[in-house]
Amino acid sequence: MLIDLKKLAVGDLAKIVGFDKTGKAYRKRLLAMGLTPGTEFSVTRFAPMGDPVEIRLRGFSLTLRKDEAAVLQIEKL
């Protein structure tokens, strides 16, 4: 079942399944940052207003804005 990143809580684990078709502008950038399909990550923290969100994957922390995070199709583990 695909969900939005904003529906996860701090500490939740998830896996990237793909990208939304409407987010072509962000797709290349996200791939370059290591967000490839099949990559597992954990949610580290959310900013007080919900933007940005910090995730941990492949041994480093990455911060994503709402628009970038909305492009990701993820599955909770």
Side-chain angles (χ1 to χ4, degrees), residues 19-33:
F19 302 95
D20 190 46
K21 293 181 182 184
T22 60
K24 286 189 177 186
Y26 293 118
R27 186 177 185 275
K28 242 185 209 183
R29 185 172 175 203
L30 294 170
L31 286 168
M33 289 190 282

Side-chain angles (χ1 to χ4, degrees), residues 48-77:
M49 299 298 277
D51 185 30
V53 59
E54 183 179 281
I55 61 173
R56 182 136 181 95
L57 68 150
R58 299 179 186 206
F60 70 94
S61 295
L62 180 66
T63 304
L64 297 172
R65 296 232 175 247
K66 281 183 189 178
D67 295 341
E68 296 167 334
V71 173
L72 294 173
Q73 294 178 339
I74 61 172
E75 183 178 82
K76 188 175 177 181
L77 299 179

